[in-house]
């Protein structure tokens, strides 16, 4: 079972990084966190993969006052998504034709949904950004939707001001990723030891899915 979980985690994180590269190459807008990553990348000159890794570890510092504990998957997420994003940008060409851009965007959303279901379903620890959200929910008592929306509005606004790409892809991602993960997560969820825990895990995980 552990072999399956680790394999599923690694495949999921690799696909997540490649999907990020596909969003960028589509040129139609990114999800809120990646708008921020792209904006920082443009201002600093570092590759977006390096920025994703750096931001992940900075966000993990915010886990300390929230008393969040990282798992194997948390550290793997912090490192591998950025590495595979840079690899994807090296492999995937940019598209200037609208038809190609739309196809790339659609593929990116679908791949991102599969990737999210894979790494969340492995149950080896949330991503840094997911953990920040769930930690704030636990400590404040606020709803998941309120905390998640608040965080994403802030990073989207800052990313936009830094020059990150906001567009139709941002809206498509926001509307589509939740339903996609909701459908796919039960297929990838590694069973818990008890039925009660297993029945609640998918619902909780879907709330955190898009943040990575």
């Amino acid at each position: 079972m552990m072999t399956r979980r680790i394999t599923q985690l690694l495949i999921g994180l690799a696909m997540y990084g490649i999907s990020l590269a596909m969003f960028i190459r589509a040129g139609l807008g990114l999800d809120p966190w990646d708008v921020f990553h792209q904006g920082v990348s443009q201002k600093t000159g570092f590759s977006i993969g390096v920025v994703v890794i750096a931001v992940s570890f900075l966000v993990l510092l915010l886990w300390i006052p929230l008393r969040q504990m990282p798992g194997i998957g948390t550290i793997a997420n912090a490192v591998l998504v950025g590495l595979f994003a840079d690899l994807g940008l090296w492999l995937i060409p940019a598209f200037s034709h609208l038809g190609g851009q739309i196809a790339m965007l659609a593929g990116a959303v679908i791949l991102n949904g599969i990737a999210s279901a894979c790494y969340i379903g492995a149950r080896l620890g949330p991503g840094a950004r997911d953990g920040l959200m769930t930690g704030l929910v636990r400590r404040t008592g606020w709803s998941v939707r309120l905390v998640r929306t608040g965080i994403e509005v802030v990073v989207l606004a800052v990313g936009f001001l830094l020059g990150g790409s906001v567009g139709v892809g941002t809206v498509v991602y926001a509307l589509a990723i939740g339903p996609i993960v909701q459908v796919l997560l039960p297929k990838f969820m590694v069973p818990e030891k008890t039925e009660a825990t297993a029945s609640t895990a998918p619902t909780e995980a879907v709330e955190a899915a898009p943040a990575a």
Side-chain angles (χ1 to χ4, degrees):
M1 186 66 74
M2 182 55 72
T3 300
R4 173 196 163 176
R5 292 169 69 186
I6 292 175
T7 302
Q8 183 172 308
L9 171 72
L10 296 178
I11 292 173
L13 295 177
M15 290 192 298
Y16 202 101
I18 296 296
S19 74
L20 168 53
M22 292 171 67
F23 275 112
I24 293 172
R25 291 307 191 208
L28 295 174
L30 307 174
D31 69 275
W33 273 105
D34 289 327
V35 171
F36 176 72
H37 295 145
Q38 187 183 51
V40 173
S41 174
Q42 291 178 354
K43 291 298 183 182
T44 62
F46 293 116
S47 73
I48 195 163
V50 170
V51 172
V52 168
I53 293 170
V55 171
S56 295
F57 282 101
L58 289 174
V59 171
L60 283 175
L61 294 178
L62 299 177
W63 283 33
I64 297 173
L66 297 174
R67 298 180 181 177
Q68 288 278 96
M69 291 298 294
I72 297 172
T74 306
I75 305 303
N77 188 309
V79 176
L80 294 181
V81 170
L83 292 178
F84 278 97
D86 277 350
L87 176 62
L89 288 172
W90 181 67
L91 292 173
I92 302 170
F95 283 79
S96 57
H97 187 274
L98 182 59
Q101 290 177 287
I102 292 173
M104 183 66 72
L105 174 63
V109 172
I110 294 170
L111 184 62
N112 191 277
I114 297 171
S116 297
C118 277
Y119 86 77
I120 293 170
R123 298 190 298 106
L124 289 171
R129 297 152 190 78
D130 297 335
L132 174 64
M133 178 190 69
T134 56
L136 285 171
V137 168
R138 191 183 68 253
R139 297 286 286 180
T140 64
W142 298 340
S143 71
V144 170
R145 293 186 185 279
L146 177 62
V147 172
R148 176 176 162 184
T149 300
I151 292 173
E152 294 192 350
V153 166
V154 170
V155 296
L156 177 64
V158 174
F160 177 72
L161 292 174
L162 291 173
S165 176
V166 178
V168 65
T170 309
V171 178
V172 171
Y173 182 90
L175 294 176
I177 193 64
I180 292 173
V181 177
Q182 180 74 47
V183 170
L184 294 178
L185 187 58
K187 303 180 185 301
F188 290 98
M189 181 64 67
V190 177
E192 300 263 14
K193 290 183 179 180
T194 63
E195 290 186 7
T197 307
S199 65
T200 59
T203 302
E204 295 171 353
V206 168
E207 295 287 0

